Amino acid sequence: MRILFLLATVALGWAQYNPNTRPGRTSIVHLFEWSWTDIALECERYLAPNGFGGVQISPPSENVIITNPWRPWWERYQPISYKLCSRSGNEDEFIDMVTRCNNVSVHIYVDAVINHMCASGLGSENNATCGSYFNAKTRDFPAVPYSGWDFNDGKCKTGSGGIDNYGDLEQVRDCRLVSLLDLALEKDYVRSKIAEYMNYLIDIGVAGFRIDAAKHMWPGDMKAILDKLKDLNTDWFSLGSRPFIYQEVIDLGGESIKSSEYFGNGRVTEFKYGAKLGTVIRKWNGEKMAYLRNWGEGWAFMPSDKALVFVDNHDNQRGHGAGGASVLTFWDPRQYKMATGFMLAHPYGFTRVMSSFRWPRYFQNGKDINDWVGPPSFEDGTTKPVTINPDTTCGNDWVCEHRWRQIRNMVIFRNVVDGQPFSNWWDNNSNQVAFGRGNKGFIVFNNDDWYLNVTLQTGLPAGTYCDVISGQKNDDYCTGLEIDVANDGTANFQISNNDEDTFIAIHVDAKM
Ligand code: AAO
């Protein structure tokens, strides 16, 4: 009995770090602002066949409708209730998406906005996406229900009621983040309402949660909520599986709150990753790719098995949140592909690929004044569908980075090399670097302003391999460069700094 109990607690503690992706599928993609209908289709037609493990979706809960500015993407971070209707679709569509994605082993990860409700100044003149009545001024959210007792108004000690100083951890957790009504998470009633919402999603079949604004919640309060969560739905997950938890905590150093305070609850977003990788690929501050030799914990990042990593996210690709100007996005495609390729080849962390929409970016005094613009939509505010072009890219201003050949093929690369050690590092002491993953894959980058021509130990079995960056192996045919690995495992690589993509990746599943 005692052993059983021990086993159960060990399993419980561990499972929260486990992404619950199907074995051999090692990445998820954030389909930012996609509709549930489009995500269901994408799971079936693209994500499953290409080895994606899951999808992070935009918040599914009811939110306030903001009309000034017109339907900003960020209205979805202002909940009104935990009913499932939003710009992405209604409850039936949500259930259909989760079912269809799970049926092809692509799992759904919900962005859970549980730290707060909407902005404090909104009143009954405002509408919400399911039509629920609310009045933020009187703290009235009858569709949950929450009332004045359920917020931290009395607990926050700043004069403004908001967070004025990120150096003061009590403010960060007890006061309002950008004026959003801060829930009193020490109350069992509030915890239970949130757990009820999350358990409903678990029953539908979701595999885990991104915990929005986790830094603004006391780790112990969050643990109390997580302890109320059920195991995953056994229609798709093995008995006793726990929801995957990754917490949005921005810790670039220099503030009082540390990522490590949250490790007891699950994984944590490693924001240093994208900020630093962007700096290196851009060659800012004297950085060079040769320094990536000890990438990961060697760069003072959190332990790999606690980290959720990404090149950019929906905030910092448009100047929100943190990371700064160094963060690479689809707007710099050549460098972005290199950064994403590096991330997906490197063993550190659990990887999330970003998939964006295009907006009319417009800088004034260094700030993008259109950083609020919502997803491609019709005049009435309905989100436009993701159309697919004959060349498999997306239309209607959906960027679909996850469909770019180089990125999609690196998602597959990561699956092929899963579990293999980081090996055979080489660099030219500048921006030409290479490394392998055991005897399964090898990647070479040329981010210098000159030609690369070098013979390297790849660790791979002898044979001819198809480069999955310039092309890919289709049946017996390679549409890109071919690389010959000799009997001793060495191969010659040549990359011009003027090539469309200045990196080459080969793996055993693309052997001719
Ligand atoms: C909108 C309006 C606001 C308005 C509000 C209410 O923009 O003007 O007051 O409505 O009417 C999103 C949008 C917000 C939006 C909100 C609600 O981004 O603009 O507000 O929806 O609609 C902090 C949080 C982090 C948060 C991030 C945006 O810690 O949790 O801000 N991200 C999540 C979501 C995000 C969402 C929310 C949370 C809210 O991903 O989409 O907001 O649900 C420092 C701190 C960070 C802090 C940043 C930004 O960062 O460390 O914790 O993030 O500041 O305030 C250097 C430092 C770095 C520092 C950075 C920026 O890089 O090293 O630490 O500078 O100063």
Side-chain angles (χ1 to χ4, degrees):
M1 186 66 196
R2 211 157 84 206
I3 293 181
L4 254 180
F5 174 74
L6 257 173
L7 277 175
T9 42
V10 169
L12 205 118
W14 267 105
Q16 315 251 358
Y17 310 111
N18 177 348
N20 299 321
T21 47
R22 167 178 157 161
R25 293 191 183 173
T26 56
S27 301
I28 60 173
V29 55
H30 179 19
L31 297 180
F32 178 46
E33 285 281 0
W34 282 43
S35 72
W36 308 153
T37 314
D38 278 332
I39 293 175
L41 288 167
E42 191 71 352
C43 286
E44 295 168 342
R45 71 187 166 201
Y46 199 85
L47 300 178
N50 288 297
F52 285 80
V55 182
Q56 179 185 310
I57 60 167
S58 285
S61 46
E62 177 174 25
N63 62 263
V64 63
I65 294 175
I66 304 260
T67 51
N68 184 21
W70 176 249
R71 307 303 305 267
W73 61 268
W74 44 254
E75 67 172 42
R76 298 183 70 170
Y77 290 89
Q78 301 201 27
I80 296 302
S81 81
Y82 302 127
K83 291 183 184 164
L84 300 182
C85 38
S86 64
R87 253 179 141 175
S88 287
N90 62 29
E91 180 165 341
D92 289 341
E93 290 161 332
F94 182 86
I95 292 171
D96 183 59
M97 164 186 72
V98 175
T99 306
R100 287 166 58 192
C101 290
N102 276 339
N103 285 346
V104 292
S105 301
V106 178
H107 298 142
I108 299 294
Y109 301 85
V110 167
D111 195 347
V113 186
I114 59 175
N115 170 67
H116 51 260
M117 300 300 276
C118 67
S120 57
L122 300 172
S124 52
E125 67 279 9
N126 296 91
N127 295 316
T129 49
C130 301
S132 297
Y133 167 87
F134 72 98
N135 190 339
K137 291 174 200 152
T138 56
R139 312 288 187 261
D140 196 16
F141 295 89
V144 179
Y146 287 138
S147 70
W149 303 104
D150 302 318
F151 294 94
N152 275 335
D153 293 298
K155 209 174 170 195
C156 167
K157 295 197 185 73
T158 63
S160 66
I163 301 166
D164 299 334
N165 172 9
Y166 270 91
D168 175 348
L169 85 175
E170 295 199 352
Q171 280 186 32
V172 175
R173 287 164 174 160
D174 293 339
C175 298
R176 289 178 212 137
L177 166 63
V178 293
S179 96
L180 303 165
L181 283 179
D182 204 49
L183 284 163
L185 299 175
E186 82 274 13
K187 286 190 64 182
D188 189 59
Y189 173 76
V190 177
R191 293 172 177 175
S192 299
K193 282 291 152 189
I194 292 170
E196 203 177 282
Y197 165 54
M198 295 171 79
N199 279 328
Y200 186 58
L201 298 169
I202 288 172
D203 285 342
I204 292 172
V206 310
F209 302 93
R210 167 192 187 262
I211 309 290
D212 180 68
K215 180 182 186 171
H216 304 276
M217 303 186 244
W218 294 91
D221 288 345
M222 200 189 314
K223 180 171 188 306
I225 295 167
L226 299 179
D227 284 346
K228 293 178 190 282
L229 298 188
K230 298 181 179 180
D231 291 344
L232 298 185
N233 186 325
T234 51
D235 286 352
W236 296 290
F237 302 95
S238 54
L239 194 70
S241 302
R242 298 295 294 160
F244 178 42
I245 298 297
Y246 55 106
Q247 306 159 89
E248 190 227 7
V249 178
I250 298 175
D251 175 8
L252 293 171
E255 284 181 20
S256 53
I257 295 176
K258 304 280 168 252
S259 301
S260 55
E261 296 168 46
Y262 292 84
F263 292 167
N265 293 331
R267 289 199 186 233
V268 180
T269 50
E270 178 51 279
F271 274 82
K272 290 174 189 160
Y273 193 101
K276 292 285 182 195
L277 191 54
T279 310
V280 173
I281 303 272
R282 290 180 191 277
K283 301 186 253 187
W284 286 359
N285 307 341
E287 294 284 8
K288 46 189 183 183
M289 286 190 84
Y291 297 154
L292 297 173
R293 172 190 285 268
N294 65 341
W295 184 244
E297 288 94 343
W299 280 60
F301 298 168
M302 64 184 75
S304 175
D305 61 356
K306 300 291 182 296
L308 185 292
V309 298
F310 46 93
V311 175
D312 61 331
N313 79 349
H314 72 279
D315 283 330
N316 63 19
Q317 66 171 202
R318 46 175 54 69
H320 285 235
S326 73
V327 169
L328 285 166
T329 70
F330 70 87
W331 295 106
D332 304 295
R334 208 156 173 261
Q335 292 171 313
Y336 188 68
K337 285 180 278 183
M338 225 188 287
T340 307
F342 185 88
M343 172 180 84
L344 291 168
H346 196 280
Y348 180 87
F350 183 71
T351 46
R352 178 180 65 196
V353 171
M354 181 68 201
S355 190
S356 320
F357 58 80
R358 217 170 273 106
W359 73 95
R361 200 163 67 141
Y362 190 76
F363 286 103
Q364 259 177 18
N365 304 321
K367 189 194 174 317
D368 175 10
I369 57 165
N370 285 334
D371 66 338
W372 57 272
V373 172
S377 50
F378 299 107
E379 297 243 304
D380 67 354
T382 338
T383 302
K384 282 190 184 167
V386 178
T387 51
I388 307 298
N389 302 321
D391 68 354
T392 77
T393 60
C394 300
N396 272 345
D397 276 332
W398 298 97
V399 182
C400 289
E401 295 93 314
H402 69 287
R403 280 174 168 257
W404 294 3
R405 180 188 67 243
Q406 300 84 343
I407 292 179
R408 178 241 298 140
N409 285 348
M410 286 308 297
V411 167
I412 296 170
F413 179 106
R414 190 175 192 77
N415 292 343
V416 173
V417 304
D418 187 28
Q420 294 289 312
F422 178 73
S423 53
N424 292 310
W425 174 268
W426 168 85
D427 67 69
N428 69 343
N429 198 26
S430 183
N431 291 291
Q432 300 181 343
V433 305
F435 64 94
R437 295 292 303 276
N439 56 8
K440 293 278 171 85
F442 196 76
I443 191 163
V444 187
F445 295 86
N446 179 9
N447 199 27
D448 273 324
D449 301 327
W450 60 86
Y451 201 83
L452 171 146
N453 181 355
V454 66
T455 296
L456 299 170
Q457 176 54 250
T458 66
L460 296 186
T464 301
Y465 292 80
C466 183
D467 168 31
V468 299
I469 304 304
S470 56
Q472 63 196 18
K473 182 176 172 247
N474 288 345
D475 301 320
D476 291 335
Y477 183 69
C478 176
T479 62
L481 256 182
E482 291 189 5
I483 302 289
D484 290 315
V485 174
N487 286 330
D488 64 357
T490 61
N492 177 258
F493 295 93
Q494 300 193 25
I495 307 176
S496 160
N497 49 311
N498 298 318
D499 284 348
E500 182 194 347
D501 293 303
T502 55
F503 63 116
I504 291 176
I506 54 178
H507 61 69
V508 291
D509 279 7
K511 191 164 182 248
M512 302 310 295

